[in-house]
Structures are given as C-alpha cells and as structure tokens.
C-alpha cells in the first residue's frame, strides 16, 4: 500500500492524540480528500482546519469505514474493540494507540525504530506499547543488541493527561 494515496481515518480525531496525528499528516501534505475525521457525538459536525481546507468531524458507522485503508485509533479500549473490527472487515489496517489489543497474540506491538519488521506480521491490527515503554525501548535497543539485556526494572509516574485533553 502506498501510504501517500491511502484513505486515512482518524478515530478520536478531536482528542490530544488525534489532533497530533492530523498535524503529522499535514507535515507530509497528505491530501485532504483522503482524510476522514471521526469522534463522539458531541464533536459531530465540528470543522477542523487542515492545510487549505476544512474537514468535518463525523461519527462512526459501518458505512463510514468502507473506504478507509488505514484507521488511526485513539479512543477508549471499549470503543476501539467495537470500531477496529469494522475497519478490518472492510479491508483496512488499524493502528491502535490504546491498550485494547496490546495483549492479543496476533497483534504486534510496534515501535518503528526498534522492530519495524513486526509490521509484516499483522492481521490488519497493529498496536503500540504504552508511552513509557515506547520511549524506554529506544535507548535499550542498541544496548540489547550489544549486551543482551535480560531484565529491566522500571517505575513510572504518569500524568493525568494520559486520559486525553
């Protein structure tokens, strides 16, 4: 799949992570007509500026997801478990940033700088580790490659901002 021509759906588009996903898409000038924004009922109809256009936030339905090639999901696990299969059923690939699929056997946890090859081993759903793990494994990867780390003990203190805006 050529990501430059992919139809991308951002589910949770008005939350902190969804807003950042849209910013990243703008940095590569992904075409506005290839982006759909989805959020809860309270955000339905909201207009979001994107490059030289305006995107309208929608709510989700089976019909909404028919043309999505890549779904970027950043919502609660409950909502992700409901919506991700709809995207997959229609042939799309889901990248879930929540915990809904982190412990699923056939769903790879991917940190592109550490294990990009895992992207080749998915059943249309990809997950990522939590925020603490993602940043921790970046410096650990070269250390492990050189010295074979056997165990890491970590304590984290996370802000309430992990719950969204």
């Amino acid at each position: 799949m050529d990501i430059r021509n992919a139809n991308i759906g951002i589910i949770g588009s008005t939350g902190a992570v969804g807003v950042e996903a849209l910013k990243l898409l703008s940095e590569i000038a992904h075409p506005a007509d290839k982006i759909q924004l989805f959020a809860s009922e309270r955000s339905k109809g909201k207009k979001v500026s994107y490059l030289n256009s305006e995107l309208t936030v929608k709510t989700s339905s089976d019909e909404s997801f028919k043309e999505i090639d890549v779904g970027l999901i950043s919502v609660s696990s409950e909502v992700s478990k409901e919506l991700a299969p709809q995207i997959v059923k229609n042939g799309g690939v889901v990248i879930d940033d929540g915990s809904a699929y982190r412990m699923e056997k056939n769903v790879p946890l991917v940190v592109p700088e550490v294990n990009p090859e895992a992207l080749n081993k998915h059943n249309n759903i990809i997950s990522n580790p939590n925020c603490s793990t993602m940043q921790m494994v970046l410096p650990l990867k070269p250390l492990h490659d050189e010295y074979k780390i056997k165990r890491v003990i970590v304590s984290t203190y996370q802000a309430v901002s992990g719950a969204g805006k």
Side-chain angles (χ1 to χ4, degrees):
M1 170 193 326
D2 182 357
I3 194 69
R4 292 168 296 188
N5 293 317
N7 290 311
I8 298 178
I10 302 177
I11 297 86
S13 62
T14 58
V17 175
V19 168
E20 289 304 313
L22 191 60
K23 280 184 194 174
L24 290 172
L25 289 172
S26 74
E27 288 176 14
I28 61 168
H30 195 79
D33 65 342
K34 300 264 183 193
I35 299 173
Q36 294 184 59
L37 304 181
F38 299 93
S40 64
E41 190 67 41
R42 71 180 175 271
S43 294
K44 181 180 179 179
K46 179 179 178 183
K47 304 288 185 194
V48 177
S49 294
Y50 177 78
L51 299 177
N52 295 322
S53 32
E54 206 170 57
L55 302 174
T56 303
V57 177
K58 305 184 254 185
T59 56
S60 59
S61 70
D62 276 338
E63 283 300 309
S64 314
F65 295 149
K66 283 202 173 175
E67 295 180 14
I68 291 183
D69 299 314
V70 178
L72 305 175
I73 297 183
S74 183
V75 294
S76 70
S77 292
E78 181 181 286
V79 174
S80 183
K81 288 277 193 179
E82 176 189 335
L83 301 181
Q86 294 176 28
I87 294 169
V88 170
K89 174 181 77 176
N90 290 310
V93 174
V94 168
I95 301 172
D96 184 73
D97 120 0
S99 62
Y101 295 97
R102 285 188 185 143
M103 301 304 287
E104 299 283 330
K105 183 179 179 178
N106 295 319
V107 175
L109 288 174
V110 178
V111 178
E113 299 84 357
V114 174
N115 64 337
E117 70 284 351
L119 288 172
N120 300 321
K121 304 172 194 163
H122 64 81
N123 293 320
N124 288 35
I125 298 179
I126 299 163
S127 188
N128 63 23
N130 75 7
C131 54
S132 300
T133 301
M134 286 185 79
Q135 59 188 335
M136 177 180 62
V137 297
L138 292 173
L140 289 179
K141 169 75 166 121
L143 291 171
H144 177 70
D145 289 347
E146 184 68 28
Y147 303 107
K148 303 299 178 225
I149 295 172
K150 292 184 174 126
R151 181 172 66 161
V152 175
I153 299 171
V154 178
S155 296
T156 66
Y157 303 90
Q158 298 190 15
V160 295
S161 64
K165 280 189 172 177

